[in-house]
Amino acid sequence: MARIAGVNLPTNKRVVIALQYIHGIGQKIAKDIVTKLNLPAERRVSQLTDAEVLQIRELIDQEYLVEGDLRRETSMNIKRLMDLGCYRGLRHRKGLPVRGQRTHTNARTRKGPAKTIAGKKKTA
C-alpha cells in the first residue's frame, strides 16, 4: 500500500484515480503528475515500484500544496476575512452563504435545519 502525503492510496485503482484521494489533487493535477513521471495511464498503485512511489512523493512535495498545509492555508484565509470584518468574513462568522446566494428560501446547508417560530398560528 502506497502512502503519499499522509494518505493511504487504494491499491487496486489506477494511479490517476488513486492520487485524487489526496486533498488538493484533482483530475488535472493527477494527470499532470502521471505525465511528468512518464507512468503508463493504465498502471495500478499495486504495480508501482518503490522508486516510482518515491518519485511521486517528491514531486508532490516540491510542486503542490496538499493535505494539512492546504487545509491550514484555507482556514487562515477564512480567519483573515473574519478578522477584517469584511462582508465575506461576516457571512462566514454568521454561518450564512458567502457567495451571493439567496437565503429567503434554500441555503439549508449553511443555515442548518429549519427552526419553526412558536406562538403564531395561521387561522383560515
Side-chain angles (χ1 to χ4, degrees):
M1 177 169 288
R3 186 170 176 86
I4 298 173
V7 176
N8 292 329
L9 299 183
T11 54
N12 56 343
K13 295 192 185 283
R14 291 182 318 158
V15 178
V16 176
I17 303 300
L19 284 174
Q20 294 177 39
Y21 280 67
I22 301 171
H23 180 76
I25 294 182
Q27 207 170 29
K28 184 182 181 325
I29 293 178
K31 286 179 185 174
D32 290 347
I33 290 170
V34 170
T35 54
K36 281 180 186 175
L37 298 177
N38 296 323
L39 295 174
E42 63 278 351
R43 178 77 59 92
R44 306 258 171 192
V45 174
S46 58
Q47 298 169 342
L48 289 175
T49 64
D50 290 338
E52 290 170 335
V53 172
L54 187 63
Q55 281 181 325
I56 293 171
R57 192 177 296 135
E58 287 174 352
L59 181 70
I60 289 173
D61 286 342
Q62 289 171 3
E63 296 188 20
Y64 302 104
L65 194 62
V66 293
E67 281 300 321
D69 295 334
L70 179 61
R71 292 180 205 270
R72 189 176 312 104
E73 183 175 310
T74 305
S75 66
M76 289 303 292
N77 288 341
I78 292 170
K79 186 178 182 307
R80 178 180 52 82
L81 289 171
M82 288 166 54
D83 290 343
L84 283 173
C86 65
Y87 182 76
R88 282 174 55 203
L90 295 176
R91 302 295 282 186
H92 273 293
R93 199 179 301 161
K94 291 178 183 176
L96 293 169
V98 178
R99 297 185 178 177
Q101 297 90 336
R102 66 181 290 131
T103 57
H104 179 71
T105 59
N106 302 334
R108 283 290 142 215
T109 302
R110 287 292 302 214
K111 291 171 72 174
K115 302 169 200 78
T116 56
I117 300 170
K120 278 209 167 190
K121 287 188 180 179
K122 283 190 176 180
T123 56

